Amino acid sequence: MSEQSKSSRTPDHTPRVVIAGAGIAGVQTAVALREAGWRGAITLLGDEPHQPYDRPPLSKALLLGKADGTAFDVDFAALSIDLHLSRPVTALRPDAHEADTAEGPIGYDYAVLATGAAPVLLPGSEGVPGVHLLRTLDDAERLRPVLAARRDIVVVGAGWIGAEFATAAREAGCSVTVVEAADRPLAGALPAEVSAHMTAWYADAGAELRTGARVAAVEPGAVTLADGSTLPADAVVVGIGARPATGWLAGSGVAVSPEDGSVLADEQLRTSAPDVYAVGDCASFPSARYGRRLLIHHWDNALQGPRAVAENIARGEAEGVVYDPVPYFWSEQFGRFVQYAGHHEGADEMIWRGDPSGASWSVLWLRRNQLAALLAVGRPRDLAQGRKLIEKGAALDRGRAADAALPLKSAMK
């Protein structure tokens, strides 16, 4: 028997990590594993045909034709990362330590779930010509010519993604109407007394915002609202939220939240299944800092979580790394740079820094005298200093904290 024949029959005992999902959380997990010293095999499985790419530019530069692509600058071959495009994981069988794909199962020693989130669809809009989502590279490519043609656009949802798309559409010269079922923008993200100050941003940018407006029907060229009014719409962009993409885990034994669909990871991002971790938009985790389970659909979480997962896998049986970050995200909308750090639910006091009707201001949330969260509009130093204060669990002097002329860090007691 030849040596080649012998080797082809020899079982491969190389330890392997299989990562389901090739978005930022999946890619960063693969890279972080190598940085953490993992010498075994890494298989990265993505469901799209494109090279893994970053999502934030989809609603900004790429949409406006200011960028040609957003692919990650990662040399997968040089890192010995086995990347498979258009090969999603369809099922997980933890008992067998196998991940199923259309091309066959892949065995693993560790699996990482990084499948992200899927956009919530507007009932009655599926299959209607001219209705768009903005979640993938293909979505952005389909919308680019719409913006370039300066069409009449209706945006359903005044959340973060709706505001960012409306910003880009106005910059492109489109007529934009944003319809929101709640009584204000960002109703699900911020308290009324804060988000109310963002309402005027739409009109200032030349976009019409209709709050308390529910969509009754969508048809080619028009959106009909529940009050009977009809809006002309060459295109309809739906941005009403996203849910963890975890339906494929049915029957796997991996515990999933019945409320939000997230994988219920522990403080080390381990799932209920042995040797299976979860990270990014598809997973929630318990936060000792905030005393509750957090589900964070933002870029920074998908960047930071993989480092904890990689360290925990690389360490094996050693004491694991606890993941309890200060959540952070940013949004660029209507000429304003908006940043948020922390988690304000459960706070018992709010402090304003600056005039919220002006171009730059911040709002702070305290819990038991300690800074728990802050929102900064055009005040990046407040955000940078506040994030560190949250990490320290710092108590603040209220008078100094409210004085926008003073550095926020000077308010620490």
Side-chain angles (χ1 to χ4, degrees), residues 5-366:
S5 298
K6 289 180 181 179
S7 63
S8 66
R9 295 185 181 184
T10 302
D12 183 2
H13 294 299
T14 304
R16 178 183 302 276
V17 177
V18 169
I19 303 169
I24 182 172
V27 169
Q28 288 298 322
T29 298
V31 173
L33 279 165
R34 290 297 183 225
E35 293 174 344
W38 175 260
R39 296 184 178 182
I42 301 174
T43 300
L44 179 61
L45 302 165
D47 59 350
E48 294 186 53
H50 311 289
Q51 284 291 308
Y53 60 88
D54 206 5
R55 293 189 188 278
L58 297 185
S59 60
K60 305 176 184 74
L62 189 74
L63 199 59
L64 293 169
K66 296 180 180 180
D68 294 327
T70 65
F72 293 118
D73 185 19
V74 176
D75 190 334
F76 295 99
L79 292 173
S80 298
I81 296 170
D82 190 13
L83 172 64
H84 294 265
L85 303 176
S86 298
R87 191 179 179 183
V89 178
T90 57
L92 193 73
R93 291 181 287 114
D95 289 345
H97 273 61
E98 288 186 337
D100 289 337
T101 73
E103 291 80 8
I106 301 176
Y108 66 80
D109 293 88
Y110 296 97
V112 180
L113 313 181
T115 47
V120 175
L121 303 179
L122 180 67
S125 68
E126 295 179 62
V128 178
V131 176
H132 300 262
L133 299 169
L134 183 51
R135 187 72 182 180
T136 69
L137 181 59
D138 288 339
D139 292 337
E141 292 291 356
R142 283 189 287 266
L143 278 164
R144 282 176 69 170
V146 175
L147 267 62
R150 299 185 177 183
R151 301 294 182 86
D152 291 335
I153 296 176
V154 171
V155 180
V156 181
W160 299 113
I161 192 66
E164 289 182 359
F165 178 80
T167 299
R170 283 300 299 138
E171 185 175 337
C174 298
S175 173
V176 179
T177 301
V178 181
V179 296
E180 168 58 51
D183 61 355
R184 64 189 188 279
L186 294 168
L190 295 172
E193 58 267 44
V194 176
S195 60
H197 293 286
M198 301 173 170
T199 301
W201 297 359
Y202 289 77
D204 292 345
E208 181 182 1
L209 172 63
R210 293 198 181 192
T211 57
R214 294 187 177 276
V215 175
V218 178
E219 57 189 39
V223 173
T224 301
L225 302 180
D227 64 4
S229 60
T230 299
L231 305 174
D234 296 309
V236 178
V237 178
V238 179
I240 56 175
R243 284 182 61 83
T246 55
W248 64 280
L249 289 168
S252 67
V254 173
V256 173
S257 167
E259 286 80 27
D260 57 33
S262 66
V263 175
L264 296 171
D266 70 6
E267 69 279 359
Q268 295 180 17
L269 297 181
R270 298 173 301 192
T271 74
S272 60
D275 304 320
V276 179
Y277 291 77
V279 68
D281 290 4
C282 73
S284 61
F285 56 90
S287 169
R289 186 191 308 276
Y290 292 104
R292 64 189 64 205
R293 179 169 286 274
L294 299 181
L295 173 60
I296 304 172
H297 282 182
H298 293 296
W299 186 88
D300 192 66
N301 177 56
L303 179 68
Q304 303 296 338
R307 296 171 183 168
V309 169
E311 286 289 342
N312 288 334
I313 290 176
R315 290 185 182 190
E317 298 301 320
E319 184 177 348
V321 173
V322 171
Y323 184 62
D324 195 3
V326 174
Y328 167 74
F329 70 88
W330 80 97
S331 177
E332 297 176 71
Q333 47 185 273
F334 308 116
R336 295 166 175 83
F337 187 44
V338 183
Q339 295 172 284
Y340 178 96
H343 186 74
H344 66 269
E345 291 183 22
D348 49 41
E349 187 176 356
M350 192 169 70
I351 298 173
W352 292 94
R353 280 173 61 82
D355 182 359
S357 65
S360 63
W361 47 274
S362 296
V363 60
L364 316 177
W365 286 273
L366 274 61

Side-chain angles (χ1 to χ4, degrees), residues 379-396:
R379 293 182 65 91
R381 288 187 179 178
D382 277 5
L383 189 288
Q385 294 175 18
R387 192 176 183 182
K388 292 178 180 178
L389 293 174
I390 296 171
E391 290 173 347
K392 293 178 180 178
L396 299 187

